[in-house]
Amino acid sequence: MSQQPAVVFLYRESKPLHREIFRDFVRAIADCGHLSVCVAPEGTDLGAEQLDFFEPYPTGPGREEAMRQAVARAIERHRVVRIISTTEDDVIAAARLREHHGVPGTGLETAIHFRDKNAMVARARELGFRVPRSCVPHTLGTLEAFAGTVGYPIVVKPHNGISCGGTHKVEDVDQLRALWPTIHQERHDLRAEEFVEGRQFHIDTVLRDGQVVFEAVSAYAVTLLDHFRHRSIGSVVTGTQDSALEQRLAAATRAVVTGLGLRTGIAHTEFFVCPDGELVFGETGARMGGGYIFPLYRQAFGVSLPYTWVRAELDAGYRPDPTHRRTAAGDLLFSADSGVISDITTADELLALPNVGEAQVWKNPGHHLAHVDEAGGQGLGFTVVTGDDATDALENAASTLRAFRVATQAAR
Ligand SMILES: Nc1ncnc2c1ncn2[C@@H]1O[C@H](COP(=O)(O)OP(=O)(O)O)[C@@H](O)[C@H]1O
Ligand SMILES: [Mg+2]
């Protein structure tokens, strides 16, 4: 066994951007003088990458056990000092593996706080945060009584969901009674919350030993659940990060993520800012923000979120060095259509527009375009634009998105 320290990272890719994240991971590990060991599903084509070791595992039923065995093989062969999950789905598995193999890093109790919204919200309330009132929907009557107390609308959602999947906004008792037969079998995987009216923010934080290494506060352009089926989902980050609101959100996020137990690692946290100015905790995950968020901060600060995260995990003294600070807005590309794509604006056409810092288009004519069913979008791609201030960046984003067109034919 080589004495060179090794980092195991659990990797899965479903979007082209994941490969860029992968490369920044490997680069950060190499820059720390560690060996990179990627544990990923069989068939992940990493042949051209600068990786040190690939430990593939078969997918399908028993995936998690196969992944555990792949990590165990890596532990036998290398001096593993860190196990990192690149996806939210493997956050709990990574914590179990750390505890099982005695590898330092986030433990299971903390991982549960970041994955189970029942535990997360209860713990945030214990820490003194304002949280939506909630219940577990044991029966239809429980839900009707809950709505009677907090008033409609209410939100019914999985306790461990992601990207608005399986999340319902229920406006009245008729909608609730219509929804119930479709959810009653999963009732104990769900939680209900009072609907919080407010602007949504996401705050992305990298921590080392409880200290902030990188943080950024971004405002969603629209509330996600109300809009993701109808338009592009995006957010704006200012280069200055110096408003009173940004500073309050950053401080609240530090308190909640460290209060939930995170010492070293990354968090993607959501707060609502209510019309009365109060902050209400939404949720947090021990993961990188998805979609356009990595390119958004790359444009705004010249900082790579995955690189910074991995350096922070490995290197106590590391601090990212922003090359610039400017205001930027990111968006997922969206189309209201579905079917087979006959024509689509290319990334080069988008990049030729004013203020566009980055654009990627992942579908071509002939590809199938699905209806959007989660806030993660349709896998069409993303844009990041810059602007003088938040309003300007949002206007630039809107005009860029107007230039993006997709024509489809009904699938045969
Ligand atoms: N109590 C709530 N009040 C208002 N909107 C909510 C509430 N809970 C969830 N939402 C909306 O649903 C979206 C998804 O819920 P969230 O708890 O963030 O789960 P996830 O993003 O993991 O799917 C949020 O971004 C928000 O727009
Ligand atoms: Mg969310």
Side-chain angles (χ1 to χ4, degrees), residues 60-270:
R63 184 196 78 87
E64 203 170 310
E65 178 52 30
M67 186 175 78
R68 275 198 288 274
Q69 289 174 14
V71 172
R73 286 195 298 277
I75 298 264
E76 273 171 31
R77 289 174 194 163
H78 310 287
R79 187 163 78 81
V80 174
V81 297
R82 226 65 201 174
I83 300 173
I84 302 178
S85 164
T86 58
T87 67
E88 175 137 40
D89 286 340
D90 291 332
V91 162
I92 298 258
R96 278 202 196 99
L97 285 161
R98 282 181 211 111
E99 291 199 350
H100 181 75
H101 293 290
V103 173
T106 300
L108 188 53
E109 181 68 12
T110 296
I112 290 170
H113 285 158
F114 279 84
R115 196 69 189 96
D116 173 345
K117 289 182 172 107
N118 292 329
M120 181 191 299
V121 172
R123 189 72 196 111
R125 205 220 322 262
E126 289 169 4
L127 292 166
F129 287 91
R130 192 164 145 191
V131 299
R133 284 172 286 179
S134 62
C135 78
V136 176
H138 298 298
T139 63
L140 176 58
T142 317
L143 277 175
E144 288 191 19
F146 174 70
T149 305
V150 303
Y152 287 97
I154 61 169
V155 174
V156 181
K157 64 184 183 183
H159 67 68
N160 62 352
I162 187 163
S163 295
C164 296
T167 300
H168 307 273
K169 181 177 180 182
V170 183
E171 304 278 359
D172 55 37
V173 67
D174 292 336
Q175 284 188 9
L176 184 59
R177 288 178 184 167
L179 177 68
W180 180 252
T182 70
I183 61 168
H184 73 133
Q185 293 187 65
E186 286 88 46
R187 67 188 74 187
H188 285 148
D189 298 329
L190 301 175
R191 55 185 272 107
E193 291 182 357
E194 71 180 303
F195 188 84
V196 181
E197 296 286 353
R199 292 172 67 202
Q200 278 194 272
F201 287 77
H202 63 86
I203 304 91
D204 296 278
T205 317
V206 176
L207 293 170
R208 168 79 197 197
D209 298 328
Q211 300 297 312
V212 170
V213 172
F214 172 85
E215 72 190 351
V217 177
S218 304
Y220 283 112
V222 288
T223 51
L224 300 189
L225 185 58
D226 288 323
H227 292 92
F228 77 93
R229 288 193 176 82
H230 315 292
R231 52 156 291 166
S232 304
I233 292 297
S235 53
V236 60
V237 65
T238 71
T240 49
Q241 297 281 297
D242 61 357
S243 73
L245 180 58
E246 285 163 333
Q247 289 177 11
R248 271 175 73 210
L249 283 161
T253 301
R254 274 177 235 147
V256 79
V257 299
T258 55
L260 293 178
L262 192 70
R263 300 282 306 153
T264 297
I266 197 161
H268 173 72
T269 305
E270 293 178 335

